[in-house]
Every structure is written in C-alpha cells, then in structure tokens.
Amino acid sequence: MTLYIIANPHSGNRSAKEVITRLKNELNQEMAVFLTRYPDDEENQVNDVLETFQPEKDRLLILGGDGTLSKVLYYLPADIPFAYYPMGSGNDFARALRLKKDLTHLIESTKQAPKEITVYTYQNGLVLNSLDLGFASWVINHVEQSQLKAKLNKYHLGKLTYILTAIQCLIKKPAFASLCLETEAGEVLELRNQFFFSLANNTYFGGGVMIWPHATAYLEQLDCVYAKGETLWERVLVLLSLVLKVHEHSPYLQHHPYKSVTIKNPEKSLIEIDGEIVSLDEVTLMPQKRYIYL
C-alpha cells in the first residue's frame, strides 16, 4: 500500500511539512507526497495522484483547511475514499465530524471501511460546510484580505481575526443579502435584505460558530438559516443566538430544510463557501455521496 498525500503547506500555521516528516518517521510504508504550490493548484495535484493511484490498495490523505479539502474533493472522483488531517484556521468540517488530530488513529482508520457522508456540488465547486451571504461573507472576505490573520496564525490565534472582524461588521453598515431560493419541487422563497443567510451542510462555520444544531454531513439535507437584523440591537441578538446555541428558541432566526436548491441573486454577490469567496449570480446545490476514513 502506498499512502498518497495532498497537502497545502500554506494552511493554518503552515505546519504541513512537519506533519509529513512525522508520518515518514513513524510509518513503515511507501509514501507519495504532492504539495500545492499556489492558490487553486489542487486540480493539478489530484491529476498527478490519479496517474498512479490504485484505489483497491492505496490510500489518500488530505492535509489542509476546509478550503483545501473542498477543492481536492471537487476534482477527486467521488468513489475514492479519503482521510483528512485538519490544518486550517477554522477546521469546521473536522470539528463537526469529531475528527481527531491523532496521526496514529488516522492511519489506523484507513484500514477500516470508510463512512458515507454527503457534500453538495455546484457548477464551480463543492460545499463541505456552508454557503453564506450577508454577514458571514462580509467577515470572511475581510479576514482573507487582512494581514492580521497570518500574524495570529503563527501563534495559533487565527480565530481572533474572525471575532475582531465580526465586531467591525456590526459597527459599520453590514452587507445585506437579497436572493431567491427555488427547490427541486419548484417552490420559491424570496428573501430581501437579510443580515444573515446560510445554507448549512454541517454544524459549524467561522471557526466553531454553530449554524444549526442538527445540520450534519451524515444527512442528505441542507439547513437554510436566515435572519433580518434590521437594527443594530437585532443584529447583536441574531449573533448571540448563534453563539449561545439557542437557535431553535430564537425569534430572530428562520429555518427551512432542503434536499437540493437553486440560489438566484439579483446581481453577482459575494458568496462565501467553506471559507472561500466566490462571485456568482446563480448557484444550484446538488447532493453527492463521499466516503471518509474516520
């Protein structure tokens, strides 16, 4: 068996190479390492892996954050199982699935049958955790442009960047989202001037903030959570509902479950997907089965 590794050396506190060195020292098996060299290089690395990868005996390990994992899976054939070692700033996918940062357990798991999960594909990629507009996309967009995040990541304090930026968003005029949702059954929901909007395939976003308590990748279901937040005080209460985990009792949060859905924006909007910002005027999310070693 050969352990194939696709790793993003720039994720989180940039320790992917250290983890690979530990694996080489601790494992008595052949390894093939593929490092992403620049943004959106995951397609090239997946193609290189597939040239020699033998699914019946080899194993694939992905090192990086949620964004790296999302991109690798988009290009990786859906029937190839994978193991994942989280190394990002947020690691919401790993947190929701309770993945352990234990290399010994990780390698042992690849000897067992993988577990089935559901991810959601769209025309340009894949959703692991959530698709967000409004507040969350504003925060992520500003965090990714901030030099503070890189500095804090060196001290394992990257989450503080999200908190500080969220406070800044509340003080400044936030970016509201207007959109139209259309289900596979043809039902249409029009939403205007939403402070918070999220389609959750998993429990968390933003480094551990709960989107919806029952959202999970083990189900073929998207949980749509949204809120108006017309005044500053209402916006604070919306965020407190998320932080204090009182989602189902909050009068400010609305919730609908969907199997698949199309989002239509009046114009190209900033959309956050698994920590990455994309600009699209229409997104159709469809479920796809994947297999992970746990």
Side-chain angles (χ1 to χ4, degrees), residues 120-182:
Y120 275 79
T121 62
Y122 67 100
Q123 58 265 45
N124 295 333
L126 181 147
V127 178
L128 285 174
N129 301 315
S130 67
L131 178 153
D132 308 284
L133 289 91
F135 170 78
S137 61
W138 192 97
V139 171
I140 296 298
N141 187 46
H142 282 70
V143 166
E144 292 306 308
Q145 297 179 21
S146 170
Q147 297 180 352
L148 180 62
K149 179 184 177 183
K151 294 178 180 178
L152 291 176
N153 275 338
K154 295 180 181 179
Y155 304 99
H156 306 280
L157 296 173
K159 293 180 183 177
L160 283 178
T161 319
Y162 296 95
I163 296 173
L164 295 173
T165 307
I167 294 173
Q168 182 185 15
C169 178
L170 284 176
I171 296 174
K172 292 185 174 183
K173 184 178 180 180
F176 290 97
S178 295
L179 61 142
C180 176
L181 290 178
E182 183 176 338

Short mmCIF file of all heavy atoms in Angstrom, two decimals, residues 120-182:
data_model
loop_
_atom_site.label_atom_id
_atom_site.label_comp_id
_atom_site.label_asym_id
_atom_site.label_seq_id
_atom_site.Cartn_x
_atom_site.Cartn_y
_atom_site.Cartn_z
N TYR A 120 -22.21 18.83 -1.10
CA TYR A 120 -23.07 19.43 -2.13
C TYR A 120 -22.21 20.05 -3.22
O TYR A 120 -21.30 20.83 -2.93
CB TYR A 120 -24.00 20.47 -1.51
CG TYR A 120 -25.24 19.83 -0.96
CD1 TYR A 120 -25.24 19.20 0.27
CD2 TYR A 120 -26.43 19.81 -1.69
CE1 TYR A 120 -26.37 18.56 0.77
CE2 TYR A 120 -27.57 19.19 -1.20
CZ TYR A 120 -27.54 18.57 0.02
OH TYR A 120 -28.66 17.94 0.51
N THR A 121 -22.48 19.69 -4.45
CA THR A 121 -21.75 20.23 -5.58
C THR A 121 -22.51 21.39 -6.20
O THR A 121 -23.74 21.47 -6.11
CB THR A 121 -21.50 19.16 -6.65
OG1 THR A 121 -22.76 18.70 -7.16
CG2 THR A 121 -20.72 17.99 -6.08
N TYR A 122 -21.79 22.29 -6.82
CA TYR A 122 -22.38 23.35 -7.64
C TYR A 122 -21.51 23.51 -8.89
O TYR A 122 -20.54 22.75 -9.07
CB TYR A 122 -22.51 24.66 -6.86
CG TYR A 122 -21.21 25.33 -6.47
CD1 TYR A 122 -20.71 26.40 -7.20
CD2 TYR A 122 -20.48 24.90 -5.35
CE1 TYR A 122 -19.53 27.02 -6.85
CE2 TYR A 122 -19.30 25.51 -4.99
CZ TYR A 122 -18.83 26.57 -5.74
OH TYR A 122 -17.64 27.18 -5.39
N GLN A 123 -21.83 24.44 -9.75
CA GLN A 123 -21.20 24.48 -11.07
C GLN A 123 -19.70 24.74 -11.03
O GLN A 123 -18.99 24.35 -11.96
CB GLN A 123 -21.88 25.54 -11.96
CG GLN A 123 -21.85 26.96 -11.40
CD GLN A 123 -23.10 27.32 -10.64
OE1 GLN A 123 -23.57 26.53 -9.83
NE2 GLN A 123 -23.65 28.51 -10.90
N ASN A 124 -19.20 25.36 -9.97
CA ASN A 124 -17.77 25.68 -9.92
C ASN A 124 -17.03 25.05 -8.75
O ASN A 124 -15.88 25.38 -8.50
CB ASN A 124 -17.56 27.20 -9.85
CG ASN A 124 -18.03 27.91 -11.11
OD1 ASN A 124 -18.05 27.32 -12.18
ND2 ASN A 124 -18.43 29.16 -10.99
N GLY A 125 -17.70 24.17 -8.01
CA GLY A 125 -17.02 23.63 -6.86
C GLY A 125 -17.90 22.74 -6.01
O GLY A 125 -18.84 22.11 -6.50
N LEU A 126 -17.60 22.74 -4.71
CA LEU A 126 -18.22 21.80 -3.79
C LEU A 126 -18.38 22.46 -2.43
O LEU A 126 -17.53 23.26 -2.01
CB LEU A 126 -17.33 20.56 -3.72
CG LEU A 126 -17.70 19.38 -2.86
CD1 LEU A 126 -17.22 18.10 -3.53
CD2 LEU A 126 -17.05 19.50 -1.48
N VAL A 127 -19.47 22.16 -1.74
CA VAL A 127 -19.74 22.71 -0.41
C VAL A 127 -19.59 21.62 0.64
O VAL A 127 -20.29 20.61 0.60
CB VAL A 127 -21.16 23.31 -0.32
CG1 VAL A 127 -21.42 23.84 1.08
CG2 VAL A 127 -21.35 24.41 -1.35
N LEU A 128 -18.65 21.80 1.56
CA LEU A 128 -18.49 20.89 2.69
C LEU A 128 -19.36 21.32 3.87
O LEU A 128 -20.13 20.54 4.40
CB LEU A 128 -17.03 20.88 3.17
CG LEU A 128 -15.98 20.16 2.36
CD1 LEU A 128 -14.62 20.43 2.97
CD2 LEU A 128 -16.25 18.67 2.32
N ASN A 129 -19.18 22.58 4.29
CA ASN A 129 -19.82 23.08 5.49
C ASN A 129 -21.03 23.96 5.20
O ASN A 129 -22.14 23.65 5.62
CB ASN A 129 -18.82 23.88 6.34
CG ASN A 129 -17.63 23.05 6.75
OD1 ASN A 129 -17.78 21.91 7.18
ND2 ASN A 129 -16.44 23.61 6.62
N SER A 130 -20.79 25.07 4.50
CA SER A 130 -21.90 26.00 4.29
C SER A 130 -21.63 26.96 3.15
O SER A 130 -20.48 27.20 2.75
CB SER A 130 -22.14 26.81 5.57
OG SER A 130 -21.04 27.68 5.85
N LEU A 131 -22.72 27.49 2.64
CA LEU A 131 -22.71 28.60 1.69
C LEU A 131 -23.37 29.77 2.39
O LEU A 131 -24.48 29.64 2.91
CB LEU A 131 -23.46 28.23 0.41
CG LEU A 131 -23.56 29.30 -0.69
CD1 LEU A 131 -23.70 28.63 -2.05
CD2 LEU A 131 -24.76 30.24 -0.45
N ASP A 132 -22.70 30.93 2.42
CA ASP A 132 -23.18 32.06 3.22
C ASP A 132 -23.18 33.35 2.43
O ASP A 132 -22.28 33.60 1.61
CB ASP A 132 -22.30 32.23 4.46
CG ASP A 132 -22.15 30.93 5.24
OD1 ASP A 132 -23.11 30.56 5.93
OD2 ASP A 132 -21.09 30.30 5.15
N LEU A 133 -24.19 34.17 2.70
CA LEU A 133 -24.26 35.53 2.17
C LEU A 133 -24.49 36.49 3.32
O LEU A 133 -24.79 36.09 4.44
CB LEU A 133 -25.38 35.67 1.14
CG LEU A 133 -25.20 34.98 -0.21
CD1 LEU A 133 -25.78 33.58 -0.19
CD2 LEU A 133 -25.87 35.79 -1.31
N GLY A 134 -24.36 37.79 3.03
CA GLY A 134 -24.58 38.77 4.07
C GLY A 134 -23.43 38.84 5.05
O GLY A 134 -22.26 38.92 4.65
N PHE A 135 -23.72 38.76 6.34
CA PHE A 135 -22.74 38.94 7.41
C PHE A 135 -21.52 38.04 7.25
O PHE A 135 -20.38 38.51 7.29
CB PHE A 135 -23.42 38.69 8.75
CG PHE A 135 -22.46 38.63 9.91
CD1 PHE A 135 -21.93 39.79 10.45
CD2 PHE A 135 -22.11 37.40 10.46
CE1 PHE A 135 -21.05 39.73 11.52
CE2 PHE A 135 -21.22 37.33 11.53
CZ PHE A 135 -20.70 38.50 12.06
N ALA A 136 -21.75 36.73 7.09
CA ALA A 136 -20.64 35.78 7.06
C ALA A 136 -19.71 36.03 5.88
O ALA A 136 -18.48 35.99 6.02
CB ALA A 136 -21.16 34.35 7.03
N SER A 137 -20.28 36.29 4.70
CA SER A 137 -19.43 36.53 3.53
C SER A 137 -18.64 37.82 3.69
O SER A 137 -17.49 37.92 3.26
CB SER A 137 -20.27 36.57 2.25
OG SER A 137 -21.22 37.61 2.29
N TRP A 138 -19.25 38.84 4.32
CA TRP A 138 -18.55 40.10 4.58
C TRP A 138 -17.35 39.86 5.49
O TRP A 138 -16.24 40.34 5.23
CB TRP A 138 -19.51 41.10 5.21
CG TRP A 138 -19.01 42.52 5.27
CD1 TRP A 138 -19.27 43.53 4.40
CD2 TRP A 138 -18.15 43.09 6.28
NE1 TRP A 138 -18.64 44.69 4.78
CE2 TRP A 138 -17.94 44.45 5.94
CE3 TRP A 138 -17.54 42.60 7.43
CZ2 TRP A 138 -17.16 45.31 6.71
CZ3 TRP A 138 -16.74 43.44 8.20
CH2 TRP A 138 -16.56 44.79 7.84
N VAL A 139 -17.57 39.09 6.56
CA VAL A 139 -16.50 38.81 7.52
C VAL A 139 -15.37 38.03 6.86
O VAL A 139 -14.19 38.40 6.97
CB VAL A 139 -17.05 38.05 8.74
CG1 VAL A 139 -15.90 37.56 9.63
CG2 VAL A 139 -17.98 38.93 9.55
N ILE A 140 -15.72 36.94 6.16
CA ILE A 140 -14.69 36.11 5.54
C ILE A 140 -13.90 36.90 4.51
O ILE A 140 -12.67 36.79 4.42
CB ILE A 140 -15.32 34.87 4.88
CG1 ILE A 140 -15.97 33.97 5.94
CG2 ILE A 140 -14.28 34.09 4.10
CD1 ILE A 140 -15.02 33.42 6.97
N ASN A 141 -14.58 37.70 3.70
CA ASN A 141 -13.91 38.49 2.68
C ASN A 141 -12.88 39.43 3.30
O ASN A 141 -11.76 39.57 2.80
CB ASN A 141 -14.94 39.30 1.88
CG ASN A 141 -14.32 40.01 0.69
OD1 ASN A 141 -13.54 39.43 -0.06
ND2 ASN A 141 -14.68 41.27 0.51
N HIS A 142 -13.24 40.07 4.41
CA HIS A 142 -12.32 41.00 5.06
C HIS A 142 -11.21 40.26 5.80
O HIS A 142 -10.07 40.75 5.86
CB HIS A 142 -13.09 41.91 6.02
CG HIS A 142 -13.82 43.02 5.32
ND1 HIS A 142 -14.94 42.80 4.54
CD2 HIS A 142 -13.58 44.37 5.25
CE1 HIS A 142 -15.36 43.95 4.04
NE2 HIS A 142 -14.56 44.91 4.44
N VAL A 143 -11.51 39.07 6.36
CA VAL A 143 -10.47 38.29 7.05
C VAL A 143 -9.40 37.85 6.05
O VAL A 143 -8.20 37.92 6.33
CB VAL A 143 -11.09 37.07 7.75
CG1 VAL A 143 -10.00 36.08 8.16
CG2 VAL A 143 -11.87 37.51 8.99
N GLU A 144 -9.85 37.39 4.88
CA GLU A 144 -8.90 36.90 3.88
C GLU A 144 -7.99 38.02 3.35
O GLU A 144 -6.89 37.75 2.88
CB GLU A 144 -9.64 36.23 2.72
CG GLU A 144 -10.34 34.93 3.11
CD GLU A 144 -9.39 33.94 3.75
OE1 GLU A 144 -8.33 33.67 3.17
OE2 GLU A 144 -9.71 33.45 4.86
N GLN A 145 -8.45 39.25 3.42
CA GLN A 145 -7.64 40.37 2.97
C GLN A 145 -6.79 40.97 4.10
O GLN A 145 -6.01 41.88 3.87
CB GLN A 145 -8.55 41.46 2.38
CG GLN A 145 -9.32 41.02 1.15
CD GLN A 145 -10.24 42.10 0.61
OE1 GLN A 145 -10.06 43.28 0.89
NE2 GLN A 145 -11.24 41.71 -0.16
N SER A 146 -6.98 40.43 5.30
CA SER A 146 -6.30 41.00 6.47
C SER A 146 -4.92 40.38 6.68
O SER A 146 -4.75 39.16 6.60
CB SER A 146 -7.16 40.78 7.72
OG SER A 146 -6.44 41.11 8.88
N GLN A 147 -3.94 41.21 6.95
CA GLN A 147 -2.61 40.72 7.29
C GLN A 147 -2.56 40.21 8.72
O GLN A 147 -1.66 39.45 9.10
CB GLN A 147 -1.58 41.84 7.10
CG GLN A 147 -1.45 42.32 5.66
CD GLN A 147 -0.41 43.43 5.53
OE1 GLN A 147 0.12 43.93 6.51
NE2 GLN A 147 -0.11 43.80 4.29
N LEU A 148 -3.56 40.59 9.52
CA LEU A 148 -3.59 40.18 10.92
C LEU A 148 -3.76 38.68 11.06
O LEU A 148 -3.19 38.06 11.96
CB LEU A 148 -4.73 40.91 11.64
CG LEU A 148 -4.92 40.60 13.13
CD1 LEU A 148 -3.68 41.02 13.92
CD2 LEU A 148 -6.17 41.31 13.66
N LYS A 149 -4.55 38.06 10.16
CA LYS A 149 -4.80 36.62 10.24
C LYS A 149 -3.50 35.83 10.17
O LYS A 149 -3.27 34.91 10.95
CB LYS A 149 -5.75 36.19 9.13
CG LYS A 149 -6.05 34.69 9.13
CD LYS A 149 -6.92 34.29 7.96
CE LYS A 149 -7.16 32.80 7.94
NZ LYS A 149 -7.95 32.37 6.75
N ALA A 150 -2.65 36.17 9.20
CA ALA A 150 -1.38 35.45 9.05
C ALA A 150 -0.50 35.59 10.29
O ALA A 150 0.15 34.63 10.72
CB ALA A 150 -0.64 35.96 7.81
N LYS A 151 -0.51 36.78 10.88
CA LYS A 151 0.31 37.01 12.08
C LYS A 151 -0.21 36.21 13.26
O LYS A 151 0.55 35.59 14.00
CB LYS A 151 0.32 38.50 12.41
CG LYS A 151 1.02 39.36 11.36
CD LYS A 151 0.96 40.85 11.73
CE LYS A 151 1.65 41.70 10.67
NZ LYS A 151 1.56 43.15 10.98
N LEU A 152 -1.55 36.19 13.43
CA LEU A 152 -2.13 35.47 14.56
C LEU A 152 -2.03 33.96 14.38
O LEU A 152 -1.94 33.22 15.37
CB LEU A 152 -3.59 35.89 14.75
CG LEU A 152 -3.81 37.31 15.26
CD1 LEU A 152 -5.30 37.64 15.31
CD2 LEU A 152 -3.20 37.50 16.65
N ASN A 153 -2.06 33.49 13.13
CA ASN A 153 -1.95 32.05 12.88
C ASN A 153 -0.63 31.49 13.39
O ASN A 153 -0.55 30.33 13.80
CB ASN A 153 -2.08 31.75 11.38
CG ASN A 153 -3.53 31.61 10.95
OD1 ASN A 153 -4.40 31.34 11.77
ND2 ASN A 153 -3.78 31.80 9.67
N LYS A 154 0.42 32.31 13.37
CA LYS A 154 1.73 31.85 13.86
C LYS A 154 1.67 31.48 15.33
O LYS A 154 2.46 30.67 15.81
CB LYS A 154 2.77 32.95 13.63
CG LYS A 154 3.05 33.26 12.17
CD LYS A 154 4.09 34.36 12.03
CE LYS A 154 4.36 34.68 10.57
NZ LYS A 154 5.36 35.78 10.42
N TYR A 155 0.72 32.09 16.05
CA TYR A 155 0.58 31.85 17.49
C TYR A 155 -0.69 31.05 17.80
O TYR A 155 -1.17 31.04 18.92
CB TYR A 155 0.56 33.17 18.25
CG TYR A 155 1.77 34.04 17.96
CD1 TYR A 155 1.70 35.08 17.04
CD2 TYR A 155 2.99 33.78 18.58
CE1 TYR A 155 2.82 35.87 16.76
CE2 TYR A 155 4.12 34.56 18.30
CZ TYR A 155 4.01 35.60 17.40
OH TYR A 155 5.12 36.36 17.11
N HIS A 156 -1.25 30.39 16.76
CA HIS A 156 -2.47 29.58 16.88
C HIS A 156 -3.64 30.41 17.39
O HIS A 156 -4.49 29.93 18.15
CB HIS A 156 -2.23 28.39 17.82
CG HIS A 156 -1.05 27.54 17.42
ND1 HIS A 156 -1.11 26.60 16.41
CD2 HIS A 156 0.22 27.51 17.89
CE1 HIS A 156 0.07 26.02 16.28
NE2 HIS A 156 0.90 26.55 17.15
N LEU A 157 -3.71 31.67 16.99
CA LEU A 157 -4.78 32.58 17.44
C LEU A 157 -5.58 33.11 16.24
O LEU A 157 -6.17 34.18 16.32
CB LEU A 157 -4.18 33.75 18.21
CG LEU A 157 -3.47 33.40 19.53
CD1 LEU A 157 -2.78 34.63 20.11
CD2 LEU A 157 -4.45 32.83 20.53
N GLY A 158 -5.60 32.33 15.17
CA GLY A 158 -6.28 32.80 13.96
C GLY A 158 -7.75 33.09 14.15
O GLY A 158 -8.33 33.94 13.47
N LYS A 159 -8.41 32.40 15.12
CA LYS A 159 -9.84 32.61 15.35
C LYS A 159 -10.14 34.04 15.79
O LYS A 159 -11.24 34.56 15.56
CB LYS A 159 -10.35 31.64 16.41
CG LYS A 159 -10.33 30.18 15.97
CD LYS A 159 -10.84 29.29 17.07
CE LYS A 159 -10.75 27.83 16.66
NZ LYS A 159 -11.18 26.92 17.76
N LEU A 160 -9.16 34.68 16.46
CA LEU A 160 -9.38 36.05 16.91
C LEU A 160 -9.65 37.00 15.75
O LEU A 160 -10.37 37.99 15.90
CB LEU A 160 -8.16 36.54 17.71
CG LEU A 160 -8.02 36.03 19.14
CD1 LEU A 160 -6.74 36.58 19.75
CD2 LEU A 160 -9.23 36.44 19.98
N THR A 161 -9.10 36.69 14.59
CA THR A 161 -9.31 37.54 13.42
C THR A 161 -10.79 37.60 13.07
O THR A 161 -11.32 38.66 12.73
CB THR A 161 -8.52 37.00 12.21
OG1 THR A 161 -7.24 36.57 12.65
CG2 THR A 161 -8.36 38.08 11.15
N TYR A 162 -11.46 36.45 13.14
CA TYR A 162 -12.88 36.39 12.82
C TYR A 162 -13.70 37.20 13.83
O TYR A 162 -14.64 37.91 13.46
CB TYR A 162 -13.38 34.94 12.81
CG TYR A 162 -12.75 34.09 11.73
CD1 TYR A 162 -11.63 33.29 12.00
CD2 TYR A 162 -13.27 34.08 10.44
CE1 TYR A 162 -11.05 32.52 11.01
CE2 TYR A 162 -12.69 33.30 9.45
CZ TYR A 162 -11.59 32.52 9.74
OH TYR A 162 -11.02 31.77 8.75
N ILE A 163 -13.35 37.10 15.11
CA ILE A 163 -14.08 37.82 16.15
C ILE A 163 -13.94 39.33 15.98
O ILE A 163 -14.92 40.08 16.02
CB ILE A 163 -13.58 37.38 17.54
CG1 ILE A 163 -13.88 35.90 17.76
CG2 ILE A 163 -14.24 38.22 18.63
CD1 ILE A 163 -13.28 35.34 19.03
N LEU A 164 -12.71 39.77 15.76
CA LEU A 164 -12.46 41.20 15.61
C LEU A 164 -13.15 41.76 14.36
O LEU A 164 -13.70 42.86 14.38
CB LEU A 164 -10.95 41.46 15.54
CG LEU A 164 -10.16 41.12 16.81
CD1 LEU A 164 -8.66 41.27 16.56
CD2 LEU A 164 -10.58 42.03 17.97
N THR A 165 -13.13 40.97 13.28
CA THR A 165 -13.77 41.42 12.05
C THR A 165 -15.28 41.43 12.18
O THR A 165 -15.95 42.31 11.64
CB THR A 165 -13.35 40.51 10.87
OG1 THR A 165 -11.92 40.44 10.82
CG2 THR A 165 -13.87 41.05 9.55
N ALA A 166 -15.84 40.48 12.92
CA ALA A 166 -17.29 40.44 13.14
C ALA A 166 -17.75 41.67 13.92
O ALA A 166 -18.79 42.26 13.61
CB ALA A 166 -17.66 39.17 13.90
N ILE A 167 -16.97 42.06 14.90
CA ILE A 167 -17.30 43.27 15.67
C ILE A 167 -17.26 44.50 14.76
O ILE A 167 -18.12 45.38 14.83
CB ILE A 167 -16.32 43.43 16.85
CG1 ILE A 167 -16.52 42.28 17.85
CG2 ILE A 167 -16.51 44.78 17.53
CD1 ILE A 167 -15.49 42.24 18.96
N GLN A 168 -16.25 44.53 13.90
CA GLN A 168 -16.13 45.64 12.94
C GLN A 168 -17.35 45.70 12.03
O GLN A 168 -17.86 46.77 11.70
CB GLN A 168 -14.85 45.47 12.12
CG GLN A 168 -14.61 46.60 11.13
CD GLN A 168 -13.40 46.35 10.25
OE1 GLN A 168 -12.91 45.23 10.17
NE2 GLN A 168 -12.93 47.39 9.58
N CYS A 169 -17.85 44.53 11.63
CA CYS A 169 -19.01 44.47 10.75
C CYS A 169 -20.25 45.03 11.43
O CYS A 169 -21.08 45.69 10.80
CB CYS A 169 -19.27 43.04 10.30
SG CYS A 169 -20.72 42.85 9.25
N LEU A 170 -20.39 44.78 12.72
CA LEU A 170 -21.54 45.29 13.45
C LEU A 170 -21.49 46.80 13.60
O LEU A 170 -22.51 47.48 13.56
CB LEU A 170 -21.61 44.63 14.85
CG LEU A 170 -22.11 43.19 14.89
CD1 LEU A 170 -22.01 42.66 16.30
CD2 LEU A 170 -23.53 43.10 14.38
N ILE A 171 -20.28 47.33 13.81
CA ILE A 171 -20.12 48.77 13.98
C ILE A 171 -20.37 49.49 12.67
O ILE A 171 -21.07 50.51 12.61
CB ILE A 171 -18.71 49.09 14.52
CG1 ILE A 171 -18.56 48.48 15.93
CG2 ILE A 171 -18.48 50.59 14.55
CD1 ILE A 171 -17.16 48.61 16.48
N LYS A 172 -19.80 48.93 11.57
CA LYS A 172 -20.02 49.53 10.27
C LYS A 172 -21.36 49.07 9.71
O LYS A 172 -22.02 48.20 10.26
CB LYS A 172 -18.89 49.12 9.30
CG LYS A 172 -17.53 49.70 9.65
CD LYS A 172 -16.53 49.34 8.57
CE LYS A 172 -15.20 50.02 8.81
NZ LYS A 172 -14.22 49.73 7.73
N LYS A 173 -21.77 49.64 8.60
CA LYS A 173 -23.01 49.21 7.96
C LYS A 173 -22.76 47.86 7.30
O LYS A 173 -21.94 47.73 6.41
CB LYS A 173 -23.45 50.22 6.90
CG LYS A 173 -24.78 49.87 6.26
CD LYS A 173 -25.19 50.92 5.24
CE LYS A 173 -26.53 50.54 4.60
NZ LYS A 173 -26.96 51.55 3.60
N PRO A 174 -23.48 46.79 7.73
CA PRO A 174 -23.22 45.46 7.18
C PRO A 174 -23.76 45.30 5.77
O PRO A 174 -24.60 46.07 5.32
CB PRO A 174 -23.99 44.55 8.16
CG PRO A 174 -25.08 45.41 8.69
CD PRO A 174 -24.52 46.80 8.75
N ALA A 175 -23.27 44.27 5.10
CA ALA A 175 -23.73 43.97 3.74
C ALA A 175 -24.93 43.03 3.83
O ALA A 175 -24.81 41.90 4.29
CB ALA A 175 -22.60 43.32 2.94
N PHE A 176 -26.10 43.50 3.43
CA PHE A 176 -27.30 42.67 3.44
C PHE A 176 -27.41 41.88 2.15
O PHE A 176 -26.87 42.28 1.11
CB PHE A 176 -28.55 43.54 3.63
CG PHE A 176 -28.66 44.14 5.00
CD1 PHE A 176 -28.23 45.43 5.26
CD2 PHE A 176 -29.19 43.39 6.05
CE1 PHE A 176 -28.33 45.98 6.53
CE2 PHE A 176 -29.29 43.94 7.32
CZ PHE A 176 -28.86 45.23 7.56
N ALA A 177 -28.12 40.76 2.21
CA ALA A 177 -28.27 39.88 1.05
C ALA A 177 -29.73 39.80 0.63
O ALA A 177 -30.62 39.67 1.47
CB ALA A 177 -27.75 38.49 1.38
N SER A 178 -29.97 39.89 -0.66
CA SER A 178 -31.29 39.67 -1.24
C SER A 178 -31.17 38.55 -2.26
O SER A 178 -30.26 38.57 -3.10
CB SER A 178 -31.83 40.93 -1.90
OG SER A 178 -32.06 41.95 -0.96
N LEU A 179 -32.05 37.56 -2.20
CA LEU A 179 -31.93 36.41 -3.06
C LEU A 179 -33.26 35.69 -3.21
O LEU A 179 -34.23 35.99 -2.51
CB LEU A 179 -30.89 35.44 -2.50
CG LEU A 179 -31.20 34.87 -1.12
CD1 LEU A 179 -30.77 33.41 -1.04
CD2 LEU A 179 -30.47 35.68 -0.04
N CYS A 180 -33.27 34.73 -4.12
CA CYS A 180 -34.45 33.91 -4.37
C CYS A 180 -34.01 32.45 -4.31
O CYS A 180 -33.04 32.06 -4.96
CB CYS A 180 -35.05 34.25 -5.73
SG CYS A 180 -36.45 33.22 -6.19
N LEU A 181 -34.73 31.65 -3.52
CA LEU A 181 -34.46 30.22 -3.41
C LEU A 181 -35.52 29.44 -4.16
O LEU A 181 -36.72 29.70 -4.01
CB LEU A 181 -34.48 29.78 -1.94
CG LEU A 181 -33.35 30.23 -1.02
CD1 LEU A 181 -33.58 29.72 0.38
CD2 LEU A 181 -32.02 29.76 -1.54
N GLU A 182 -35.08 28.48 -4.96
CA GLU A 182 -36.01 27.61 -5.67
C GLU A 182 -35.65 26.16 -5.40
O GLU A 182 -34.51 25.74 -5.62
CB GLU A 182 -35.96 27.89 -7.18
CG GLU A 182 -36.97 27.07 -7.98
CD GLU A 182 -36.96 27.43 -9.45
OE1 GLU A 182 -36.53 28.55 -9.78
OE2 GLU A 182 -37.38 26.59 -10.26
#
